[in-house]
Amino acid sequence: MSIAENNSSILIDNHGRRMDYLRLAVTDRCNLRCQYCMPEQGVKHVPHDNILRWEEMLRLCRILVDHGLRKIRITGGEPFVRKDLVPFLAELAKLEPRPQIGITTNGVLLDRYLDQLEEADIKHLNISLDSLSPQIYKKITRRNNFKETWNSLLKAVNRGFNVKTNTVLQPGLNDDEIEDFVKLTKSLPITARFIEPMPFSGSPDHEFQEFSGYKIKERLEKAFDIKPLNKNDSRVATLYKVKGYAGRVGIIFAFSRTFCDSCSRMRISAQGQMRTCLYGQNVLDLRELLRCGSSDKTIINAINNVLQKRFKNGFEAEKHRTKSLFESMSAIGG
């Protein structure tokens, strides 16, 4: 059923979920080599001509905003390694009605762009930070950039940005820092989020170990007086607040996939490949549509058509994969 035939400009999938959130990867490149995200040698980079141009990305976002998109999160790779990211963000900010625009970054380059982000009124930052120890940070990221990330985080908080930290917990490596991250929220008005590890390293040599969000919750309840904040809403993160603390704490059940029933996300990779579930596979080549002269109507109808074949949850999507090895997260777009 096309959008026109449905007499609606709002995208709704075959399970009745409104699709109003886009995660857009602007590059597959990264200046870190996090062991849970990619092999130590990195991944084979896509030729530049195969990456969507800024004007192509802007057109896709405009089309989707015209059909109910309310939130855009810019991901990578690391978004700030791509030249002219901030001018692109400034153009996104001009879309009407304006979507909420956020960026997921490792923070290494962030501080040099804070002025420009403020000028564009882009205030939502998710900063990946997997350890508060420079030594463990280096072991996880295979790079020595803890100082840059930490300084960027503090500068962003002090300048009034809405900051969330993303910490992927790995048993025996950084799971002993749960309490330390929570204590950050005592004085810092951030949301410290813990993410269950997922099998997206892109390497057959990486040993994937589960770490349940329920175990994280038990740790929190044992160490702190926590109060749930969003028990009945549809956010990806289950949020908590420690009594008397300035910030909040979140748990993302990324491997348990407890939030699929309300998932409103679409993903577009830097190559223009769309997928409707992180655990699934690419379902639509938007780059081909953009470069063969397709109209806006053709593009939105193609998007709507794949949304009508969306799997109910991540387990069903994973079951129908044709490849057993999951891609690097940098190739998918976080």
Side-chain angles (χ1 to χ4, degrees):
M1 180 180 292
S2 72
I3 296 294
E5 290 169 342
N6 196 32
N7 293 318
S8 172
S9 63
I10 304 301
L11 291 170
I12 298 175
D13 75 3
N14 52 324
H15 301 287
R17 297 171 290 203
R18 177 172 177 172
M19 305 302 295
D20 59 2
Y21 178 9
L22 173 65
R23 296 184 67 91
L24 175 64
V26 297
T27 181
D28 64 333
R29 305 190 179 217
C30 190
N31 46 1
L32 300 182
R33 293 291 181 270
C34 298
Q35 55 183 234
Y36 58 79
C37 181
M38 65 172 71
E40 185 170 3
Q41 69 274 17
V43 295
K44 185 178 180 180
H45 292 309
V46 177
H48 183 71
D49 287 345
N50 290 347
I51 299 294
L52 289 183
R53 297 184 287 269
W54 290 125
E55 58 269 25
E56 292 172 328
M57 291 186 178
L58 185 61
R59 183 184 175 198
L60 284 175
C61 290
R62 178 183 56 75
I63 291 171
L64 288 168
V65 165
D66 286 344
H67 290 84
L69 189 71
R70 295 188 284 195
K71 183 174 181 180
I72 300 172
R73 178 154 296 278
I74 302 300
T75 68
E78 167 51 41
F80 287 103
V81 303
R82 182 167 178 181
K83 183 181 178 183
D84 294 327
L85 171 68
V86 176
F88 168 70
L89 296 174
E91 290 301 312
L92 277 187
K94 296 176 184 178
L95 293 175
E96 293 290 345
R98 176 173 170 159
Q100 182 190 107
I101 302 169
I103 307 169
T104 294
T105 172
N106 59 38
V108 173
L109 302 173
L110 175 62
D111 67 333
R112 67 187 70 175
Y113 295 104
L114 291 175
D115 285 342
Q116 297 173 67
L117 293 176
E118 278 190 324
E119 289 175 10
D121 194 27
I122 295 172
K123 307 285 287 191
H124 296 274
L125 300 173
N126 288 3
I127 300 177
S128 299
L129 181 63
D130 292 311
S131 178
L132 297 174
S133 159
Q135 293 75 30
I136 299 301
Y137 175 97
K138 184 177 181 180
K139 187 172 183 179
I140 293 173
T141 66
R142 305 185 178 109
R143 295 293 185 269
N144 193 27
N145 294 110
F146 174 81
K147 182 178 179 180
E148 291 90 334
T149 299
W150 181 246
N151 287 341
S152 288
L153 186 154
L154 292 180
K155 288 180 181 178
V157 171
N158 289 335
R159 294 177 66 160
F161 283 82
N162 180 353
V163 174
K164 299 174 184 176
T165 57
N166 288 338
T167 302
V168 177
L169 291 175
Q170 299 181 75
L173 188 55
N174 65 345
D175 61 302
D176 61 341
E177 296 188 60
I178 291 176
E179 290 81 5
D180 293 332
F181 272 100
V182 175
K183 289 174 183 176
L184 286 182
T185 71
K186 184 173 185 179
S187 58
L188 295 179
I190 65 174
T191 301
R193 306 196 304 179
F194 302 108
I195 305 175
E196 291 180 339
M198 296 174 285
F200 292 98
S201 69
S203 172
D205 299 323
H206 178 70
E207 183 180 352
F208 170 66
Q209 298 184 68
E210 293 184 37
F211 194 89
S212 168
Y214 298 103
K215 185 181 295 185
I216 300 169
K217 182 183 176 185
E218 288 178 4
R219 289 270 294 272
L220 294 177
E221 291 174 332
K222 183 176 181 180
F224 303 96
D225 179 10
I226 63 169
K227 177 183 178 181
L229 295 178
N230 64 331
K231 188 175 182 180
N232 296 315
D233 72 19
S234 59
R235 292 188 224 193
V236 168
T238 303
L239 297 177
Y240 302 90
K241 189 172 180 65
V242 179
K243 185 177 181 180
Y245 281 29
R248 304 182 299 178
V249 179
I251 303 173
I252 299 178
F253 292 79
F255 187 70
S256 300
R257 288 162 260 187
T258 60
F259 47 80
C260 292
D261 285 348
S262 59
C263 180
S264 61
R265 297 181 174 193
M266 299 171 280
R267 283 180 166 81
I268 299 176
S269 74
Q271 299 179 64
Q273 302 300 311
M274 179 178 169
R275 65 173 62 193
T276 58
C277 178
L278 179 61
Y279 285 88
Q281 295 183 148
N282 298 331
V283 294
L284 180 62
D285 187 347
L286 288 165
R287 184 184 66 206
E288 175 63 23
L289 286 175
L290 288 164
R291 295 184 181 178
C292 74
S294 300
S295 67
D296 290 0
K297 181 178 179 181
T298 296
I299 291 172
I300 198 63
N301 281 340
I303 291 172
N304 187 58
N305 286 339
V306 297
L307 291 178
Q308 302 315 308
K309 302 171 186 175
R310 197 173 180 224
F311 292 114
K312 185 176 181 180
N313 55 49
F315 296 104
E316 187 178 325
E318 180 180 357
K319 182 179 178 180
H320 285 83
R321 285 178 59 90
T322 58
K323 299 177 182 178
S324 57
L325 177 65
F326 284 98
E327 306 89 332
S328 164
M329 187 67 84
S330 67
I332 300 171

PDB file of all heavy atoms in Angstrom, residues 299-328:
ATOM      1  N   ILE A 299      10.446   7.361  -3.830  1.00  0.00           N
ATOM      2  CA  ILE A 299      11.326   7.028  -2.703  1.00  0.00           C
ATOM      3  C   ILE A 299      10.517   6.741  -1.449  1.00  0.00           C
ATOM      4  O   ILE A 299      10.744   5.729  -0.769  1.00  0.00           O
ATOM      5  CB  ILE A 299      12.332   8.175  -2.464  1.00  0.00           C
ATOM      6  CG1 ILE A 299      13.325   8.240  -3.627  1.00  0.00           C
ATOM      7  CG2 ILE A 299      13.068   7.983  -1.142  1.00  0.00           C
ATOM      8  CD1 ILE A 299      14.246   9.444  -3.587  1.00  0.00           C
ATOM      9  N   ILE A 300       9.547   7.588  -1.121  1.00  0.00           N
ATOM     10  CA  ILE A 300       8.781   7.364   0.109  1.00  0.00           C
ATOM     11  C   ILE A 300       7.911   6.120  -0.008  1.00  0.00           C
ATOM     12  O   ILE A 300       7.713   5.386   0.971  1.00  0.00           O
ATOM     13  CB  ILE A 300       7.941   8.600   0.494  1.00  0.00           C
ATOM     14  CG1 ILE A 300       7.523   8.508   1.971  1.00  0.00           C
ATOM     15  CG2 ILE A 300       6.743   8.792  -0.416  1.00  0.00           C
ATOM     16  CD1 ILE A 300       8.663   8.518   2.954  1.00  0.00           C
ATOM     17  N   ASN A 301       7.404   5.830  -1.201  1.00  0.00           N
ATOM     18  CA  ASN A 301       6.628   4.600  -1.371  1.00  0.00           C
ATOM     19  C   ASN A 301       7.504   3.359  -1.219  1.00  0.00           C
ATOM     20  O   ASN A 301       7.062   2.344  -0.670  1.00  0.00           O
ATOM     21  CB  ASN A 301       5.936   4.595  -2.729  1.00  0.00           C
ATOM     22  CG  ASN A 301       4.668   5.449  -2.726  1.00  0.00           C
ATOM     23  OD1 ASN A 301       4.108   5.746  -1.667  1.00  0.00           O
ATOM     24  ND2 ASN A 301       4.225   5.843  -3.911  1.00  0.00           N
ATOM     25  N   ALA A 302       8.751   3.438  -1.686  1.00  0.00           N
ATOM     26  CA  ALA A 302       9.670   2.315  -1.523  1.00  0.00           C
ATOM     27  C   ALA A 302       9.983   2.086  -0.046  1.00  0.00           C
ATOM     28  O   ALA A 302      10.038   0.940   0.432  1.00  0.00           O
ATOM     29  CB  ALA A 302      10.966   2.575  -2.307  1.00  0.00           C
ATOM     30  N   ILE A 303      10.172   3.180   0.681  1.00  0.00           N
ATOM     31  CA  ILE A 303      10.419   3.073   2.124  1.00  0.00           C
ATOM     32  C   ILE A 303       9.205   2.474   2.825  1.00  0.00           C
ATOM     33  O   ILE A 303       9.319   1.562   3.658  1.00  0.00           O
ATOM     34  CB  ILE A 303      10.761   4.461   2.704  1.00  0.00           C
ATOM     35  CG1 ILE A 303      12.131   4.921   2.204  1.00  0.00           C
ATOM     36  CG2 ILE A 303      10.731   4.422   4.240  1.00  0.00           C
ATOM     37  CD1 ILE A 303      12.476   6.353   2.571  1.00  0.00           C
ATOM     38  N   ASN A 304       8.037   2.974   2.491  1.00  0.00           N
ATOM     39  CA  ASN A 304       6.817   2.457   3.111  1.00  0.00           C
ATOM     40  C   ASN A 304       6.607   0.976   2.803  1.00  0.00           C
ATOM     41  O   ASN A 304       6.172   0.202   3.663  1.00  0.00           O
ATOM     42  CB  ASN A 304       5.607   3.263   2.635  1.00  0.00           C
ATOM     43  CG  ASN A 304       4.351   2.879   3.384  1.00  0.00           C
ATOM     44  OD1 ASN A 304       4.287   2.968   4.602  1.00  0.00           O
ATOM     45  ND2 ASN A 304       3.347   2.418   2.647  1.00  0.00           N
ATOM     46  N   ASN A 305       6.946   0.564   1.594  1.00  0.00           N
ATOM     47  CA  ASN A 305       6.774  -0.842   1.211  1.00  0.00           C
ATOM     48  C   ASN A 305       7.614  -1.775   2.079  1.00  0.00           C
ATOM     49  O   ASN A 305       7.147  -2.843   2.482  1.00  0.00           O
ATOM     50  CB  ASN A 305       7.120  -1.033  -0.263  1.00  0.00           C
ATOM     51  CG  ASN A 305       6.048  -0.477  -1.185  1.00  0.00           C
ATOM     52  OD1 ASN A 305       4.900  -0.299  -0.784  1.00  0.00           O
ATOM     53  ND2 ASN A 305       6.420  -0.175  -2.432  1.00  0.00           N
ATOM     54  N   VAL A 306       8.861  -1.386   2.380  1.00  0.00           N
ATOM     55  CA  VAL A 306       9.681  -2.269   3.225  1.00  0.00           C
ATOM     56  C   VAL A 306       9.217  -2.221   4.680  1.00  0.00           C
ATOM     57  O   VAL A 306       9.363  -3.200   5.421  1.00  0.00           O
ATOM     58  CB  VAL A 306      11.185  -1.950   3.110  1.00  0.00           C
ATOM     59  CG1 VAL A 306      11.683  -2.194   1.695  1.00  0.00           C
ATOM     60  CG2 VAL A 306      11.511  -0.541   3.569  1.00  0.00           C
ATOM     61  N   LEU A 307       8.636  -1.090   5.081  1.00  0.00           N
ATOM     62  CA  LEU A 307       8.106  -1.011   6.443  1.00  0.00           C
ATOM     63  C   LEU A 307       6.900  -1.927   6.625  1.00  0.00           C
ATOM     64  O   LEU A 307       6.603  -2.359   7.748  1.00  0.00           O
ATOM     65  CB  LEU A 307       7.711   0.426   6.779  1.00  0.00           C
ATOM     66  CG  LEU A 307       8.857   1.430   6.919  1.00  0.00           C
ATOM     67  CD1 LEU A 307       8.308   2.825   7.210  1.00  0.00           C
ATOM     68  CD2 LEU A 307       9.829   1.005   8.007  1.00  0.00           C
ATOM     69  N   GLN A 308       6.215  -2.244   5.535  1.00  0.00           N
ATOM     70  CA  GLN A 308       5.073  -3.153   5.610  1.00  0.00           C
ATOM     71  C   GLN A 308       5.498  -4.617   5.660  1.00  0.00           C
ATOM     72  O   GLN A 308       4.661  -5.517   5.775  1.00  0.00           O
ATOM     73  CB  GLN A 308       4.121  -2.914   4.432  1.00  0.00           C
ATOM     74  CG  GLN A 308       3.578  -1.490   4.349  1.00  0.00           C
ATOM     75  CD  GLN A 308       3.122  -0.949   5.699  1.00  0.00           C
ATOM     76  OE1 GLN A 308       2.328  -1.589   6.399  1.00  0.00           O
ATOM     77  NE2 GLN A 308       3.639   0.227   6.068  1.00  0.00           N
ATOM     78  N   LYS A 309       6.796  -4.864   5.592  1.00  0.00           N
ATOM     79  CA  LYS A 309       7.322  -6.230   5.700  1.00  0.00           C
ATOM     80  C   LYS A 309       8.257  -6.353   6.903  1.00  0.00           C
ATOM     81  O   LYS A 309       9.059  -7.267   6.979  1.00  0.00           O
ATOM     82  CB  LYS A 309       8.081  -6.586   4.420  1.00  0.00           C
ATOM     83  CG  LYS A 309       7.238  -6.478   3.151  1.00  0.00           C
ATOM     84  CD  LYS A 309       8.097  -6.628   1.914  1.00  0.00           C
ATOM     85  CE  LYS A 309       7.275  -6.379   0.646  1.00  0.00           C
ATOM     86  NZ  LYS A 309       8.121  -6.409  -0.577  1.00  0.00           N
ATOM     87  N   ARG A 310       8.123  -5.437   7.824  1.00  0.00           N
ATOM     88  CA  ARG A 310       9.024  -5.382   8.972  1.00  0.00           C
ATOM     89  C   ARG A 310       8.772  -6.550   9.926  1.00  0.00           C
ATOM     90  O   ARG A 310       7.629  -6.916  10.202  1.00  0.00           O
ATOM     91  CB  ARG A 310       8.805  -4.060   9.715  1.00  0.00           C
ATOM     92  CG  ARG A 310       9.905  -3.669  10.667  1.00  0.00           C
ATOM     93  CD  ARG A 310       9.661  -2.268  11.200  1.00  0.00           C
ATOM     94  NE  ARG A 310      10.720  -1.881  12.125  1.00  0.00           N
ATOM     95  CZ  ARG A 310      10.517  -1.273  13.291  1.00  0.00           C
ATOM     96  NH1 ARG A 310       9.274  -0.997  13.673  1.00  0.00           N
ATOM     97  NH2 ARG A 310      11.517  -0.944  14.061  1.00  0.00           N
ATOM     98  N   PHE A 311       9.850  -7.125  10.436  1.00  0.00           N
ATOM     99  CA  PHE A 311       9.705  -8.202  11.404  1.00  0.00           C
ATOM    100  C   PHE A 311       9.192  -7.637  12.729  1.00  0.00           C
ATOM    101  O   PHE A 311       9.443  -6.471  13.068  1.00  0.00           O
ATOM    102  CB  PHE A 311      11.034  -8.919  11.624  1.00  0.00           C
ATOM    103  CG  PHE A 311      11.496  -9.692  10.423  1.00  0.00           C
ATOM    104  CD1 PHE A 311      12.638  -9.322   9.725  1.00  0.00           C
ATOM    105  CD2 PHE A 311      10.775 -10.788   9.981  1.00  0.00           C
ATOM    106  CE1 PHE A 311      13.063 -10.035   8.617  1.00  0.00           C
ATOM    107  CE2 PHE A 311      11.180 -11.513   8.873  1.00  0.00           C
ATOM    108  CZ  PHE A 311      12.326 -11.133   8.186  1.00  0.00           C
ATOM    109  N   LYS A 312       8.500  -8.468  13.474  1.00  0.00           N
ATOM    110  CA  LYS A 312       7.873  -8.012  14.711  1.00  0.00           C
ATOM    111  C   LYS A 312       8.904  -7.608  15.749  1.00  0.00           C
ATOM    112  O   LYS A 312       8.698  -6.658  16.511  1.00  0.00           O
ATOM    113  CB  LYS A 312       6.957  -9.108  15.276  1.00  0.00           C
ATOM    114  CG  LYS A 312       6.179  -8.682  16.507  1.00  0.00           C
ATOM    115  CD  LYS A 312       5.230  -9.768  16.965  1.00  0.00           C
ATOM    116  CE  LYS A 312       4.440  -9.318  18.193  1.00  0.00           C
ATOM    117  NZ  LYS A 312       3.496 -10.357  18.661  1.00  0.00           N
ATOM    118  N   ASN A 313      10.024  -8.327  15.801  1.00  0.00           N
ATOM    119  CA  ASN A 313      11.051  -8.014  16.793  1.00  0.00           C
ATOM    120  C   ASN A 313      12.432  -8.442  16.297  1.00  0.00           C
ATOM    121  O   ASN A 313      12.567  -9.043  15.222  1.00  0.00           O
ATOM    122  CB  ASN A 313      10.738  -8.691  18.138  1.00  0.00           C
ATOM    123  CG  ASN A 313      10.557 -10.198  17.997  1.00  0.00           C
ATOM    124  OD1 ASN A 313      11.379 -10.875  17.393  1.00  0.00           O
ATOM    125  ND2 ASN A 313       9.467 -10.725  18.546  1.00  0.00           N
ATOM    126  N   GLY A 314      13.436  -8.126  17.084  1.00  0.00           N
ATOM    127  CA  GLY A 314      14.806  -8.413  16.700  1.00  0.00           C
ATOM    128  C   GLY A 314      15.133  -9.888  16.630  1.00  0.00           C
ATOM    129  O   GLY A 314      16.024 -10.298  15.874  1.00  0.00           O
ATOM    130  N   PHE A 315      14.437 -10.696  17.396  1.00  0.00           N
ATOM    131  CA  PHE A 315      14.696 -12.138  17.354  1.00  0.00           C
ATOM    132  C   PHE A 315      14.213 -12.733  16.028  1.00  0.00           C
ATOM    133  O   PHE A 315      14.874 -13.576  15.429  1.00  0.00           O
ATOM    134  CB  PHE A 315      14.003 -12.827  18.540  1.00  0.00           C
ATOM    135  CG  PHE A 315      14.539 -12.402  19.873  1.00  0.00           C
ATOM    136  CD1 PHE A 315      13.817 -11.524  20.671  1.00  0.00           C
ATOM    137  CD2 PHE A 315      15.765 -12.856  20.327  1.00  0.00           C
ATOM    138  CE1 PHE A 315      14.307 -11.109  21.901  1.00  0.00           C
ATOM    139  CE2 PHE A 315      16.272 -12.458  21.553  1.00  0.00           C
ATOM    140  CZ  PHE A 315      15.538 -11.577  22.346  1.00  0.00           C
ATOM    141  N   GLU A 316      13.040 -12.269  15.594  1.00  0.00           N
ATOM    142  CA  GLU A 316      12.510 -12.726  14.314  1.00  0.00           C
ATOM    143  C   GLU A 316      13.402 -12.249  13.169  1.00  0.00           C
ATOM    144  O   GLU A 316      13.683 -13.007  12.226  1.00  0.00           O
ATOM    145  CB  GLU A 316      11.085 -12.194  14.137  1.00  0.00           C
ATOM    146  CG  GLU A 316      10.362 -12.746  12.923  1.00  0.00           C
ATOM    147  CD  GLU A 316       8.935 -12.235  12.815  1.00  0.00           C
ATOM    148  OE1 GLU A 316       8.302 -12.041  13.876  1.00  0.00           O
ATOM    149  OE2 GLU A 316       8.471 -12.031  11.679  1.00  0.00           O
ATOM    150  N   ALA A 317      13.878 -11.007  13.251  1.00  0.00           N
ATOM    151  CA  ALA A 317      14.759 -10.464  12.216  1.00  0.00           C
ATOM    152  C   ALA A 317      16.063 -11.251  12.151  1.00  0.00           C
ATOM    153  O   ALA A 317      16.558 -11.577  11.059  1.00  0.00           O
ATOM    154  CB  ALA A 317      15.045  -8.986  12.494  1.00  0.00           C
ATOM    155  N   GLU A 318      16.615 -11.571  13.301  1.00  0.00           N
ATOM    156  CA  GLU A 318      17.867 -12.336  13.340  1.00  0.00           C
ATOM    157  C   GLU A 318      17.673 -13.738  12.752  1.00  0.00           C
ATOM    158  O   GLU A 318      18.536 -14.256  12.033  1.00  0.00           O
ATOM    159  CB  GLU A 318      18.368 -12.439  14.782  1.00  0.00           C
ATOM    160  CG  GLU A 318      19.670 -13.209  14.917  1.00  0.00           C
ATOM    161  CD  GLU A 318      20.167 -13.298  16.354  1.00  0.00           C
ATOM    162  OE1 GLU A 318      19.533 -12.711  17.259  1.00  0.00           O
ATOM    163  OE2 GLU A 318      21.198 -13.964  16.575  1.00  0.00           O
ATOM    164  N   LYS A 319      16.543 -14.337  13.026  1.00  0.00           N
ATOM    165  CA  LYS A 319      16.242 -15.681  12.537  1.00  0.00           C
ATOM    166  C   LYS A 319      16.256 -15.739  11.012  1.00  0.00           C
ATOM    167  O   LYS A 319      16.604 -16.764  10.418  1.00  0.00           O
ATOM    168  CB  LYS A 319      14.885 -16.129  13.077  1.00  0.00           C
ATOM    169  CG  LYS A 319      14.476 -17.537  12.677  1.00  0.00           C
ATOM    170  CD  LYS A 319      13.117 -17.885  13.277  1.00  0.00           C
ATOM    171  CE  LYS A 319      12.669 -19.273  12.855  1.00  0.00           C
ATOM    172  NZ  LYS A 319      11.335 -19.609  13.433  1.00  0.00           N
ATOM    173  N   HIS A 320      15.898 -14.633  10.366  1.00  0.00           N
ATOM    174  CA  HIS A 320      15.792 -14.611   8.908  1.00  0.00           C
ATOM    175  C   HIS A 320      17.053 -14.062   8.222  1.00  0.00           C
ATOM    176  O   HIS A 320      17.049 -13.858   7.007  1.00  0.00           O
ATOM    177  CB  HIS A 320      14.574 -13.776   8.491  1.00  0.00           C
ATOM    178  CG  HIS A 320      13.271 -14.478   8.711  1.00  0.00           C
ATOM    179  ND1 HIS A 320      12.631 -14.490   9.927  1.00  0.00           N
ATOM    180  CD2 HIS A 320      12.487 -15.205   7.861  1.00  0.00           C
ATOM    181  CE1 HIS A 320      11.508 -15.182   9.834  1.00  0.00           C
ATOM    182  NE2 HIS A 320      11.398 -15.621   8.597  1.00  0.00           N
ATOM    183  N   ARG A 321      18.105 -13.831   8.993  1.00  0.00           N
ATOM    184  CA  ARG A 321      19.358 -13.400   8.378  1.00  0.00           C
ATOM    185  C   ARG A 321      19.934 -14.509   7.507  1.00  0.00           C
ATOM    186  O   ARG A 321      19.817 -15.686   7.836  1.00  0.00           O
ATOM    187  CB  ARG A 321      20.401 -13.038   9.447  1.00  0.00           C
ATOM    188  CG  ARG A 321      20.161 -11.707  10.135  1.00  0.00           C
ATOM    189  CD  ARG A 321      21.223 -11.475  11.209  1.00  0.00           C
ATOM    190  NE  ARG A 321      22.566 -11.477  10.643  1.00  0.00           N
ATOM    191  CZ  ARG A 321      23.193 -10.400  10.177  1.00  0.00           C
ATOM    192  NH1 ARG A 321      22.593  -9.231  10.242  1.00  0.00           N
ATOM    193  NH2 ARG A 321      24.412 -10.481   9.687  1.00  0.00           N
ATOM    194  N   THR A 322      20.594 -14.123   6.421  1.00  0.00           N
ATOM    195  CA  THR A 322      21.247 -15.114   5.557  1.00  0.00           C
ATOM    196  C   THR A 322      22.728 -15.236   5.875  1.00  0.00           C
ATOM    197  O   THR A 322      23.392 -16.155   5.405  1.00  0.00           O
ATOM    198  CB  THR A 322      21.084 -14.737   4.074  1.00  0.00           C
ATOM    199  OG1 THR A 322      21.639 -13.436   3.854  1.00  0.00           O
ATOM    200  CG2 THR A 322      19.611 -14.747   3.682  1.00  0.00           C
ATOM    201  N   LYS A 323      23.244 -14.297   6.688  1.00  0.00           N
ATOM    202  CA  LYS A 323      24.652 -14.340   7.090  1.00  0.00           C
ATOM    203  C   LYS A 323      24.731 -14.582   8.586  1.00  0.00           C
ATOM    204  O   LYS A 323      24.041 -13.924   9.369  1.00  0.00           O
ATOM    205  CB  LYS A 323      25.347 -13.022   6.744  1.00  0.00           C
ATOM    206  CG  LYS A 323      25.359 -12.695   5.253  1.00  0.00           C
ATOM    207  CD  LYS A 323      26.006 -11.333   5.017  1.00  0.00           C
ATOM    208  CE  LYS A 323      25.993 -10.970   3.541  1.00  0.00           C
ATOM    209  NZ  LYS A 323      26.587  -9.630   3.297  1.00  0.00           N
ATOM    210  N   SER A 324      25.589 -15.508   8.988  1.00  0.00           N
ATOM    211  CA  SER A 324      25.693 -15.829  10.406  1.00  0.00           C
ATOM    212  C   SER A 324      26.552 -14.812  11.156  1.00  0.00           C
ATOM    213  O   SER A 324      26.306 -14.529  12.332  1.00  0.00           O
ATOM    214  CB  SER A 324      26.286 -17.228  10.596  1.00  0.00           C
ATOM    215  OG  SER A 324      27.561 -17.332   9.972  1.00  0.00           O
ATOM    216  N   LEU A 325      27.576 -14.245  10.486  1.00  0.00           N
ATOM    217  CA  LEU A 325      28.445 -13.265  11.136  1.00  0.00           C
ATOM    218  C   LEU A 325      27.819 -11.880  11.055  1.00  0.00           C
ATOM    219  O   LEU A 325      27.507 -11.387   9.969  1.00  0.00           O
ATOM    220  CB  LEU A 325      29.830 -13.246  10.473  1.00  0.00           C
ATOM    221  CG  LEU A 325      30.824 -12.212  11.011  1.00  0.00           C
ATOM    222  CD1 LEU A 325      31.174 -12.532  12.465  1.00  0.00           C
ATOM    223  CD2 LEU A 325      32.079 -12.149  10.143  1.00  0.00           C
ATOM    224  N   PHE A 326      27.643 -11.264  12.210  1.00  0.00           N
ATOM    225  CA  PHE A 326      27.109  -9.902  12.227  1.00  0.00           C
ATOM    226  C   PHE A 326      28.164  -8.924  11.756  1.00  0.00           C
ATOM    227  O   PHE A 326      29.351  -9.072  12.036  1.00  0.00           O
ATOM    228  CB  PHE A 326      26.646  -9.530  13.637  1.00  0.00           C
ATOM    229  CG  PHE A 326      25.340 -10.151  14.037  1.00  0.00           C
ATOM    230  CD1 PHE A 326      25.320 -11.303  14.812  1.00  0.00           C
ATOM    231  CD2 PHE A 326      24.142  -9.588  13.632  1.00  0.00           C
ATOM    232  CE1 PHE A 326      24.111 -11.885  15.189  1.00  0.00           C
ATOM    233  CE2 PHE A 326      22.931 -10.162  13.995  1.00  0.00           C
ATOM    234  CZ  PHE A 326      22.912 -11.312  14.769  1.00  0.00           C
ATOM    235  N   GLU A 327      27.724  -7.860  11.074  1.00  0.00           N
ATOM    236  CA  GLU A 327      28.620  -6.856  10.557  1.00  0.00           C
ATOM    237  C   GLU A 327      29.209  -6.036  11.692  1.00  0.00           C
ATOM    238  O   GLU A 327      28.746  -6.065  12.827  1.00  0.00           O
ATOM    239  CB  GLU A 327      27.858  -5.899   9.624  1.00  0.00           C
ATOM    240  CG  GLU A 327      27.101  -6.585   8.487  1.00  0.00           C
ATOM    241  CD  GLU A 327      25.680  -6.975   8.851  1.00  0.00           C
ATOM    242  OE1 GLU A 327      25.422  -7.225  10.049  1.00  0.00           O
ATOM    243  OE2 GLU A 327      24.841  -7.040   7.955  1.00  0.00           O
ATOM    244  N   SER A 328      30.265  -5.269  11.371  1.00  0.00           N
ATOM    245  CA  SER A 328      30.778  -4.270  12.298  1.00  0.00           C
ATOM    246  C   SER A 328      29.716  -3.200  12.496  1.00  0.00           C
ATOM    247  O   SER A 328      29.060  -2.779  11.544  1.00  0.00           O
ATOM    248  CB  SER A 328      32.055  -3.635  11.735  1.00  0.00           C
ATOM    249  OG  SER A 328      32.352  -2.430  12.419  1.00  0.00           O
TER     250      SER A 328
END
